Amino acid sequence: MKKNLLIVFIAVAAICFGFQAKAQTATSGPVTVNINLTDAISITLGASPTVDFNYTTAADYAASKTVTKANHFTVVSNKPYDLTVAATDAFTPAGGPALSIVTVTVPAATANGGTPVPNVPLSTTAAPLVNGSTASTGAVYTVDYTISNPASLLDLAGSTYSTTVTYTATQL
């Protein structure tokens, strides 16, 4: 009986080791992966875009004033771009100061790799502000508004003189 049991055991072992498990594989056909790009650019203004020059004392009329707007706007662009600045109209009410009394500058530290043009006078014609900024997913710009010579504000009636400024980003 032991001999029969040994023969059965050897036969079962031979059968088990005689079969090899083979992994099954499958291959798909080719798969195309596309990345479809469209040129995209946007400007988003910061939380408080209004610029206020306040002349309340005699000393204010004797010195230069700069209003710095940190995080003034953010540009998103998938390509390098230029920035320009323009005022939509002259200061209102009529008879206000010339637009060019206010100059605009982007400090080099926030020019996003571009070349800033210093002291750009406001005009109704778009003027270069930063040339050759690099592509970015969120370039944050600081802008300095300056009235360097307030003499032309003398003899004006007490009022709030306003204009609207527009920034334009153009991809290169």
Side-chain angles (χ1 to χ4, degrees), residues 110-169:
T110 65
N112 190 36
T115 304
V117 177
N119 304 316
V120 176
L122 282 184
S123 169
T124 55
T125 303
L129 185 61
V130 179
N131 295 311
S133 291
T134 58
S136 173
T137 58
V140 179
Y141 287 86
T142 294
V143 179
D144 291 335
Y145 294 84
T146 302
I147 296 177
S148 59
N149 182 4
S152 65
L153 299 176
L154 300 174
D155 291 327
L156 292 176
S159 184
T160 298
Y161 296 92
S162 298
T163 189
T164 302
V165 175
T166 302
Y167 293 94
T168 303

Side-chain angles (χ1 to χ4, degrees), residues 31-153:
V31 174
T32 301
V33 176
N34 295 318
I35 300 175
N36 300 312
L37 301 177
T38 301
D39 291 340
I41 191 164
S42 69
I43 296 178
T44 305
L45 291 175
S48 82
T50 302
V51 178
D52 288 316
F53 284 97
N54 295 309
Y55 287 84
T56 57
T57 67
D60 289 337
Y61 290 91
S64 171
K65 275 194 181 211
T66 297
V67 175
T68 298
K69 297 298 285 187
N71 306 321
H72 199 36
F73 58 86
T74 302
V75 176
V76 175
S77 178
N78 69 316
K79 293 172 61 177
Y81 57 93
D82 289 340
L83 281 173
T84 61
V85 61
T88 56
D89 286 307
F91 282 107
T92 57
L99 281 174
S100 60
I101 190 172
V102 177
T103 61
V104 182
T105 301
V106 170
T110 65
N112 190 36
T115 304
V117 177
N119 304 316
V120 176
L122 282 184
S123 169
T124 55
T125 303
L129 185 61
V130 179
N131 295 311
S133 291
T134 58
S136 173
T137 58
V140 179
Y141 287 86
T142 294
V143 179
D144 291 335
Y145 294 84
T146 302
I147 296 177
S148 59
N149 182 4
S152 65
L153 299 176

